[in-house]
Amino acid sequence: KKPQKRFGTSIFNLMQSSFMPINEPNFDGSYVLDFGDVLEVQIIGKTNDLTRPRKIPVKRDGSINIPDIGKVFVAGLSLQSASSLIKNKINSVFIGTESFISLVNVRDIQVLIAGNAKNPGVYTLNGNSNLLHALSMAGGIDDLGSYRDIDVIRDDKVVGSIDLYDIFIKGKSDFGPRLRSGDSIFVKPVKSLVGIYGGINRPAIYELMPKETAEDLINYANGYSYNANKSSIVLESLQGNSVITKDLDLEDISSATMKRGDALYIKKYLYGMVELSGAIEIPGQYN
């Protein structure tokens, strides 16, 4: 049977469609502060208003107001840089103290999801959201969208692109740049969908990028199955109103290019199974 299902379509169906995932990742020092975030500041070693932790919001002008310290502008700074700046300000006023700064509340952001998403539109997300969170809110990618060429646009410039195969197949954890309010996520149209079936571990329809070959397709399909007949590999191509088949040798795989609508078929060895019983030493099923 030829596969009818495109790889990746079920992944977004399994993801939570809530406001944010329950197991939200911890914030790292690269998180960029802005209006709406709330910091918690505590000073140890001196009796003052900040002996107990105090929650201080980032104001619309990008500053926080620390008692006895004054305004400190933190908008646009990473959490790590802002923490260092605040600690230096405090140490310059209160000698012999130690300060602790943490992020306790996160702002909301609005992003536009456009192109070939299932439900394009403007979405409100947590300020710690990444591209994968946003796409899951939009229901994922539609049948004509690319999983491998998705842009994050900020101030009319592409600030990052993502290939979901790097995440879903290769296991990389790079979800692109952290989103900011006003960003746009543009899902481009898919260019080349090809199928692979037969003696393969994960038969499906996959998306190939320019210059990728049949070898890349086999790797995306998780390699040959245990019963693959590697001496019988057939490339099926659509040409006009005909289907053209071409036999490929193993050495041809790394250079064989494929176009939209093509399919790769790998023959399988067919094993039968018999059951032996009765007066024999080791009864059971045998290939």
Side-chain angles (χ1 to χ4, degrees), residues 74-105:
V74 296
L77 297 179
S78 67
L79 179 59
Q80 183 177 3
S81 298
S83 296
S84 298
L85 176 62
I86 295 169
K87 288 180 179 181
N88 290 334
K89 291 277 188 180
I90 293 173
N91 290 338
S92 66
V93 175
F94 300 131
I95 306 300
T97 61
E98 187 174 2
S99 52
F100 300 91
I101 293 91
S102 59
L103 181 65
V104 291
N105 287 327

Side-chain angles (χ1 to χ4, degrees), residues 3 9 13 25 27 32 36 63 100 128 145 163 184 197 211 215 220 226 241 244 256 269-271 279:
T9 54
N13 295 333
F27 294 95
V32 178
S63 70
F100 300 91
N128 194 38
D163 181 348
S184 297
Y197 60 108
K211 297 184 179 180
E215 184 176 42
Y220 293 147
Y226 76 97
N241 62 350
I244 307 300
Y269 291 113
L270 299 179
Y271 296 103

Side-chain angles (χ1 to χ4, degrees), residues 59 61 63-74 89:
K59 297 181 179 180
D61 65 354
S63 70
I64 59 173
N65 193 358
I66 306 176
D68 299 328
I69 301 293
K71 277 190 174 184
V72 180
F73 288 89
V74 296
K89 291 277 188 180

Side-chain angles (χ1 to χ4, degrees), residues 39-220:
L39 296 175
E40 184 178 78
V41 179
Q42 182 180 19
I43 300 176
I44 303 298
K46 181 177 177 66
T47 302
N48 56 51
D49 291 339
L50 291 179
T51 301
R52 293 182 178 179
R54 172 173 291 190
K55 295 180 180 180
I56 304 176
V58 179
K59 297 181 179 180
R60 194 172 294 276
D61 65 354
S63 70
I64 59 173
N65 193 358
I66 306 176
D68 299 328
I69 301 293
K71 277 190 174 184
V72 180
F73 288 89
V74 296
L77 297 179
S78 67
L79 179 59
Q80 183 177 3
S81 298
S83 296
S84 298
L85 176 62
I86 295 169
K87 288 180 179 181
N88 290 334
K89 291 277 188 180
I90 293 173
N91 290 338
S92 66
V93 175
F94 300 131
I95 306 300
T97 61
E98 187 174 2
S99 52
F100 300 91
I101 293 91
S102 59
L103 181 65
V104 291
N105 287 327
V106 185
R107 67 186 183 274
D108 292 338
I109 61 172
Q110 282 193 330
V111 299
L112 170 66
I113 302 177
N116 291 95
K118 282 191 176 179
N119 300 295
V122 177
Y123 290 85
T124 300
L125 302 170
N126 181 300
N128 194 38
S129 299
N130 57 43
L131 182 143
L132 203 57
H133 293 147
L135 287 176
S136 66
M137 289 292 292
I141 295 168
D142 67 18
D143 294 338
L144 300 178
S146 172
Y147 281 74
R148 309 202 56 194
D149 198 3
I150 305 169
D151 288 341
V152 178
I153 301 172
R154 181 176 300 154
D155 298 327
D156 297 327
K157 296 180 180 178
V158 176
V159 295
S161 296
I162 193 169
D163 181 348
L164 291 181
Y165 279 19
D166 286 342
I167 300 171
F168 296 156
I169 296 178
K170 301 177 183 179
K172 296 181 180 180
S173 58
D174 182 10
F175 301 130
R178 200 187 301 272
L179 298 177
R180 298 183 187 176
S181 198
D183 285 353
S184 297
I185 297 172
F186 182 67
V187 182
K188 296 181 181 179
V190 65
K191 294 179 181 178
S192 179
L193 289 177
V194 298
I196 183 169
Y197 60 108
I200 205 75
N201 285 318
R202 191 167 52 206
I205 297 172
Y206 292 87
E207 180 180 352
L208 289 187
M209 299 297 283
K211 297 184 179 180
E212 288 188 329
T213 66
E215 184 176 42
D216 296 300
L217 178 61
I218 292 170
N219 289 333
Y220 293 147

